[in-house]
Amino acid sequence: MKRDRLVEMLGEQTTACGPARDALVAGGAFVVWDGLVPADHLAHTYRTRLRITQKRGQPTLALAATVDILAHTQEPLRIGRIDAADMSWAFMLFLNATATAVLACTGVARSEPSAGPATDAK
């Protein structure tokens, strides 16, 4: 996936899309992985992450809204990630099966350094 195409796809699906788009435009690393994941599995995983981040007091953007979107999606999804250039935020993207539309986006503030940025897609 090309950076410019992903920037175009990040609209107003959730309130995290604008900051994710800004991170991408500012040179943040990104990746959209091959393969499909059932939306209900993602909803379960991110519902758990929502509880954990709330318990820790970790800042998130649109995590509850993303869980709701995932819970109401029937089709398998592709997943992507954008890491802010300063590594302060990570954004998870949920795209349709053909990777032609972003359905939801959530962001989480990094509380500690990660193992590294997303691998840039070509």
Side-chain angles (χ1 to χ4, degrees):
M1 167 145 325
K2 301 281 185 187
R3 181 179 299 271
D4 292 342
R5 178 68 185 122
L6 187 53
V7 168
E8 291 172 7
M9 289 193 299
L10 284 163
E12 300 301 320
Q13 297 89 336
T14 69
T15 57
C17 289
R21 185 177 48 250
D22 293 346
L24 195 56
V25 168
F30 76 99
V31 63
V32 174
W33 289 287
D34 290 329
L36 300 174
V37 181
D40 61 332
H41 292 172
L42 292 168
H44 175 76
T45 298
Y46 282 84
R47 191 174 293 112
T48 301
R49 289 184 183 180
L50 176 61
R51 284 192 307 267
I52 291 169
T53 56
Q54 287 174 331
K55 188 180 289 186
R56 291 180 181 166
Q58 188 172 12
T60 63
L61 294 172
L63 185 50
T66 295
V67 169
D68 188 53
I69 291 168
L70 295 174
H72 291 94
T73 301
Q74 301 299 314
E75 66 178 293
L77 302 175
R78 292 193 52 189
I79 303 170
R81 188 173 101 188
I82 298 169
D83 292 318
D86 66 0
M87 301 300 288
S88 60
W89 284 85
F91 299 92
M92 292 302 297
L93 311 174
F94 303 92
L95 300 93
N96 65 354
T98 58
T100 56
V102 172
L103 303 177
C105 173
T106 185
V108 64
R110 295 231 171 106
S111 56
E112 44 188 74
S114 74
T119 303
D120 261 332
K122 295 185 170 81

